[in-house]
């Protein structure tokens, strides 16, 4: 029998509102609208299908504040992550957002009306407090803190939604189950105990052994429930991962396991996220949930230390076990014993026994270099799938992002670098510089901070698409703000294909030299007030904090700089 939903009732809003969906669709056509971001789209899908039960919409200020402070909704129900709809002040004014207003929420992919939001409130929030309370630190090394700083707008809008339709998916449709559908599947198969396994990475033999062992110990079945929404920048794309999951499902004992996809936008929030994941799996009907070591951890912070302790997530889930009503299964670290050709938990192996392991770092290295991956570690079908999506480094695309003041030499360096890379051959080389790109890509945009940021959003999209196709991309905008450069990096890491290869090069030529050698007199026009908002004169240039390479045309010649960039690529095995 499937587990009871969190809060007692599954909030399947699509089913609830089906009888009036045509009426809602007609109304939606006449309402002001919000086109959702990718993360908001993931959140809305899990709100309206019941995955986020007991939520019936985006959190109002009372619920948001309570969740941030206490991990509870304002009515006291346990809920560990804020689920919010962010808008700008301009959006509030343009859409006339106020309590009682009704807004259409549209899918950014196909413009379909998905739901109508009835506004309860629009409120500002303390981003630093949210970062510290929810993610443990206001540290931009955390991907969700970076997202909060660079992408989240300044207001949240709270209110319940009425569902018009679920988002349409064209990939892996047979593997996409709503909570109601998965519960019906468990009932049909008479699965009374279900151990859910969360993952955002490819699975290998150790994961299969871990989940089989967990199921057998509890006389249960296994639900492989991977995330296919937003994950951590640089993660393996979900198309590749799902092909891996399909290959590995054939290795489970007949009838033991089932694969279903979860359209969740992860926050990488460690302990809080583990509680959230448990709530979600409970809503999908699971009775048990595997919580890993450093579950949903984002890696290292700015000081090079893990954001969360290895067992913080397990401890927090255990703390709330009575309210969660889903049994936590602690992740057991599995290792391979060559003498018996099997995997066993590390803590059950006698001292002195020979074991073999391949770390995630070592696996990625072998994929990049084409080195063999032994069959004791993974299955041939899994390795074949990964190799298809992860060609050797020398065939992967990359983005060289040159940033610096006007007339710093970045454009000259970019053009010279294009020539050098064309000489090397092996890839197409694309040059994205302002004088040739902006008139075509962003002709209507000016030079305010918001407009520069939007222009860089467009550049990042073009650059990531080219890199994913295996091209060498050289982009050389001024890019004066750290938030915009972070956005470009994250976009390339998320969407730039195998490796997510991005290199930030700061052309740190001093302002005095840029201005002195400005033959076109642009700085003079800015000084006299003819040009407004000019970077370096009346708009600050924020020097990059973590550039991969810093160069300066007053200290190095253009050939020397180009050679140093080529060496950077060679060091990373891309040439």
């Amino acid at each position: 029998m499937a587990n009871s939903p969190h809060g007692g009732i599954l909030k399947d809003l699509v089913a609830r509102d089906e009888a009036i969906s045509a009426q809602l669709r007609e109304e939606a056509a006449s309402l002001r609208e919000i086109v959702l971001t990718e993360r908001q789209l993931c959140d809305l899908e899990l709100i309206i299908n019941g995955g986020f039960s007991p939520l019936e919409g985006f959190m109002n200020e009372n619920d948001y504040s309570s969740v941030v402070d206490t991990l509870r909704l304002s009515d006291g129900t346990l809920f560990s992550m804020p689920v919010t709809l962010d808008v700008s002040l301009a959006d509030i004014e343009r859409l006339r957002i106020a309590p009682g207003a009704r807004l259409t929420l549209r899918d950014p992919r196909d413009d379909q009306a998905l739901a109508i939001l009835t506004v309860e409130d629009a409120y500002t929030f303390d981003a630093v407090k949210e970062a510290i309370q929810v993610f443990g630190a206001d540290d931009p090394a955390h991907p969700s803190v970076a997202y909060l700083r660079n992408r989240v707008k300044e207001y949240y809008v709270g209110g319940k939604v009425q569902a018009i339709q679920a988002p349409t998916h064209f990939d892996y449709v047979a593997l996409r189950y709503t909570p109601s559908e998965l519960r019906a599947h468990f009932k049909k198969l008479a699965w009374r105990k279900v151990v859910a396994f969360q993952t955002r990475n490819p699975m290998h033999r150790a994961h299969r052994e871990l989940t089989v062992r967990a199921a057998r110990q509890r006389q249960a079945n296994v639900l492989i429930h991977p995330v296919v929404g937003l994950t951590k920048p640089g993660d393996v794309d979900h198309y590749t991962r799902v092909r891996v999951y399909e290959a590995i499902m054939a290795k489970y004992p007949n009838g033991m396991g089932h694969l279903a996809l979860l359209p969740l936008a992860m926050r990488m929030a460690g302990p809080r996220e583990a509680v959230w994941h448990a709530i979600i799996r409970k809503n999908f009907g699971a009775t048990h949930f595997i919580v890993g070591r450093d579950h949903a951890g984002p890696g290292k912070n700015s000081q090079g230390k893990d954001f969360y302790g290895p067992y913080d997530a397990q401890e927090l889930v255990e703390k709330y076990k009575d309210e969660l009503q889903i049994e936590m299964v602690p992740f057991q670290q599995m290792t391979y014993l060559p003498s018996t050709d099997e995997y066993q938990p590390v803590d059950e192996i006698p001292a002195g026994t020979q074991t073999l392991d391949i770390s995630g770092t070592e696996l990625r290295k072998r994929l990049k270099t084409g080195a063999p991956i032994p069959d004791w570690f993974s299955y041939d079908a899994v390795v074949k799938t990964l190799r298809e999506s992860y060609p050797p480094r020398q065939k992967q695309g990359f983005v060289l992002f040159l940033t610096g003041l006007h007339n710093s030499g970045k454009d000259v360096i970019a053009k010279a670098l294009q020539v050098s890379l064309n000489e090397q051959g092996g890839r197409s080389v694309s040059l994205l510089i302002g004088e040739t790109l902006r008139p075509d890509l962003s002709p209507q945009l000016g030079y305010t901070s918001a407009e520069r940021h939007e222009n860089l959003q467009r550049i990042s999209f073009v650059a990531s698409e080219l890199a994913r196709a295996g091209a060498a991309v050289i982009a050389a905008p001024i890019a004066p703000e750290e938030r915009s450069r972070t956005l470009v990096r994250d976009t390339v890491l998320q969407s730039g294909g195998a490796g997510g290869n991005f290199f930030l090069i700061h052309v740190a030529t001093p302002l005095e030299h840029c201005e002195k050698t400005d033959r076109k007199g642009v700085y003079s026009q800015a000084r006299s007030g003819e040009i407004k908002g000019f970077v370096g004169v009346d708009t600050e240039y924020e020097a990059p904090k973590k550039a991969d390479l810093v160069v300066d045309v007053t200290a190095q010649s253009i050939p020397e700089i180009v050679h140093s960039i080529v060496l950077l690529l060679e060091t990373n095995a891309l040439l």
Side-chain angles (χ1 to χ4, degrees):
M1 181 177 182
N3 205 348
S4 298
H6 193 56
I9 300 173
L10 185 69
K11 303 291 186 175
D12 186 339
L13 308 188
V14 175
R16 183 198 68 184
D17 299 332
E18 184 176 10
I20 59 170
S21 63
Q23 175 187 331
L24 291 171
R25 190 185 306 277
E26 183 177 349
E27 182 188 0
S30 66
L31 297 175
R32 293 178 293 277
E33 60 193 37
I34 293 175
V35 178
L36 301 171
T37 65
E38 189 176 358
R39 185 162 96 171
Q40 292 166 351
L41 176 65
C42 291
D43 288 349
L44 180 65
E45 181 167 3
L46 286 167
I47 289 170
I48 64 176
N49 72 16
F52 283 172
S53 295
L55 298 190
E56 294 183 43
F58 291 95
M59 291 181 181
N60 59 28
E61 186 171 15
N62 285 340
D63 281 332
Y64 165 79
S65 298
S66 183
V67 168
V68 169
D69 290 336
T70 70
L71 285 79
R72 296 183 182 279
L73 299 171
S74 56
D75 66 4
T77 304
L78 180 70
F79 205 93
S80 57
M81 292 297 298
V83 178
T84 52
L85 179 66
D86 60 292
V87 299
S88 66
L89 177 59
D91 291 331
I92 289 178
E93 294 171 347
R94 176 176 57 86
L95 301 173
R96 286 172 274 168
I97 295 175
R102 285 170 68 76
L103 300 167
T104 301
L105 303 181
R106 292 193 178 274
D107 191 320
R109 303 165 304 164
D110 57 14
D111 208 37
Q112 289 295 310
L114 302 179
I116 294 177
L117 170 77
T118 301
V119 176
E120 294 178 18
D121 54 13
Y123 54 97
T124 57
F125 59 97
D126 186 336
V128 173
K129 179 181 178 181
E130 181 177 329
I132 293 171
Q133 293 284 88
V134 177
F135 306 113
D138 183 30
D139 185 341
H142 193 297
S144 284
V145 174
Y147 188 96
L148 187 62
R149 287 189 180 191
N150 302 315
R151 298 202 183 189
V152 173
K153 299 171 185 175
E154 60 266 35
Y155 283 83
Y156 288 151
V157 174
K160 290 183 169 58
V161 300
Q162 291 172 290
I164 298 172
Q165 64 178 50
T168 301
H169 294 285
F170 298 98
D171 60 326
Y172 307 112
V173 176
L175 299 176
R176 292 181 181 271
Y177 291 77
T178 68
S180 296
E181 290 168 343
L182 202 52
R183 287 167 167 273
H185 182 76
F186 295 156
K187 183 177 181 180
K188 182 177 181 179
L189 297 181
W191 286 15
R192 298 185 60 82
K193 295 180 181 179
V194 180
V195 178
F197 180 63
Q198 148 81 28
T199 182
R200 62 175 227 276
N201 293 311
M203 290 177 65
H204 301 286
R205 275 192 63 182
H207 302 102
R208 184 265 186 198
E209 298 302 325
L210 160 73
T211 50
V212 167
R213 185 182 180 89
R216 284 175 171 164
Q217 287 177 344
R218 290 156 183 83
Q219 296 183 320
N221 290 89
V222 175
L223 171 65
I224 305 300
H225 208 203
V227 171
V228 294
L230 287 179
T231 59
K232 182 182 175 183
D235 280 352
V236 176
D237 69 273
H238 83 271
Y239 300 104
T240 300
R241 290 191 288 111
V242 175
R243 290 195 291 271
V244 165
Y245 303 140
E246 289 178 317
I248 209 165
M249 292 308 298
K251 305 299 181 181
Y252 279 84
N254 189 36
M256 174 179 279
H258 187 70
L259 173 64
L261 309 184
L262 179 67
L264 177 70
M266 288 186 67
R267 272 57 161 186
M268 308 304 297
R272 276 189 181 242
E273 182 127 356
V275 173
W276 194 37
H277 287 174
I279 290 171
I280 293 167
R281 275 32 184 249
K282 178 183 175 185
N283 286 330
F284 276 86
T287 56
H288 297 70
F289 180 55
I290 297 173
V291 179
R293 187 179 183 276
D294 192 25
H295 187 102
K300 304 294 184 184
N301 63 18
S302 295
Q303 287 72 49
K305 299 179 180 178
D306 290 336
F307 272 94
Y308 313 114
Y311 304 107
D312 288 356
Q314 294 179 1
E315 290 170 3
L316 194 65
V317 173
E318 181 66 20
K319 175 182 177 181
Y320 292 112
K321 65 178 182 180
D322 292 340
E323 293 176 81
L324 285 171
Q325 290 295 299
I326 185 170
E327 185 178 327
M328 181 186 71
V329 179
F331 185 99
Q332 292 179 293
Q333 188 67 40
M334 307 292 285
T335 191
Y336 179 70
L337 279 64
S339 60
T340 55
D341 186 29
E342 64 178 346
Y343 277 83
Q344 290 290 341
V346 171
D347 57 4
E348 295 181 15
I349 297 172
T353 303
Q354 182 190 10
T355 62
L356 295 174
D357 285 297
I358 291 179
S359 68
T361 301
E362 174 65 18
L363 173 63
R364 288 188 290 273
K365 179 181 177 182
R366 293 186 182 214
L367 285 171
K368 289 172 183 176
T369 61
I373 297 171
D375 57 6
W376 59 260
F377 176 79
S378 196
Y379 298 101
D380 289 343
V382 170
V383 174
K384 180 177 181 292
T385 297
L386 289 173
R387 291 205 188 281
E388 288 171 352
S389 295
Y390 282 79
R393 293 284 278 174
Q394 291 185 348
K395 293 185 179 180
Q396 295 176 15
F398 56 83
V399 176
L400 295 168
F401 192 84
L402 282 66
T403 172
L405 294 166
H406 173 73
N407 199 41
S408 61
K410 59 181 177 59
D411 288 5
V412 177
I413 296 167
K415 292 173 182 177
L417 191 56
Q418 182 186 33
V419 172
S420 179
L421 293 179
N422 275 329
E423 179 188 15
Q424 300 240 0
R427 295 182 183 86
S428 64
V429 184
S430 296
L431 183 62
L432 309 178
I433 59 175
E435 65 185 51
T436 57
L437 187 67
R438 205 179 224 276
D440 294 325
L441 191 63
S442 306
Q444 80 284 17
L445 294 180
Y447 291 89
T448 65
S449 174
E451 288 170 318
R452 287 182 184 277
H453 189 71
E454 185 174 345
N455 181 52
L456 285 168
Q457 280 184 307
R458 298 177 184 185
I459 290 174
S460 68
F461 171 77
V462 173
S464 63
E465 288 295 303
L466 290 168
R468 187 167 63 191
V473 183
I474 307 163
I478 292 174
E481 296 183 67
E482 186 75 13
R483 70 181 183 114
S484 300
R485 296 188 295 261
T486 300
L487 168 68
V488 177
R489 178 189 290 273
D490 288 349
T491 301
V492 173
L493 291 178
Q494 189 81 35
S495 307
N501 302 302
F502 177 90
F503 303 94
L504 181 65
I505 299 161
H506 180 201
V507 184
T509 306
L511 174 62
E512 295 77 12
H513 181 84
C514 297
E515 192 164 355
K516 181 180 178 181
T517 58
D518 176 24
R519 292 174 51 249
K520 295 181 180 179
V522 181
Y523 281 96
S524 296
Q525 295 177 57
R527 296 286 182 193
S528 66
E530 294 177 51
I531 300 175
K532 304 293 185 183
F534 194 77
V535 177
V537 176
D538 49 6
T539 298
E540 180 188 3
Y541 177 86
E542 300 173 7
K545 297 175 182 177
K546 287 188 176 181
D548 296 289
L549 188 66
V550 179
V551 299
D552 178 352
V553 300
T554 65
Q556 303 157 277
S557 69
I558 298 298
E560 287 174 336
I561 291 172
V562 169
H563 185 62
S564 67
I565 296 171
V566 169
L567 287 177
L568 175 65
L569 295 172
E570 288 179 345
T571 301
N572 284 274
L574 286 162
L575 293 180

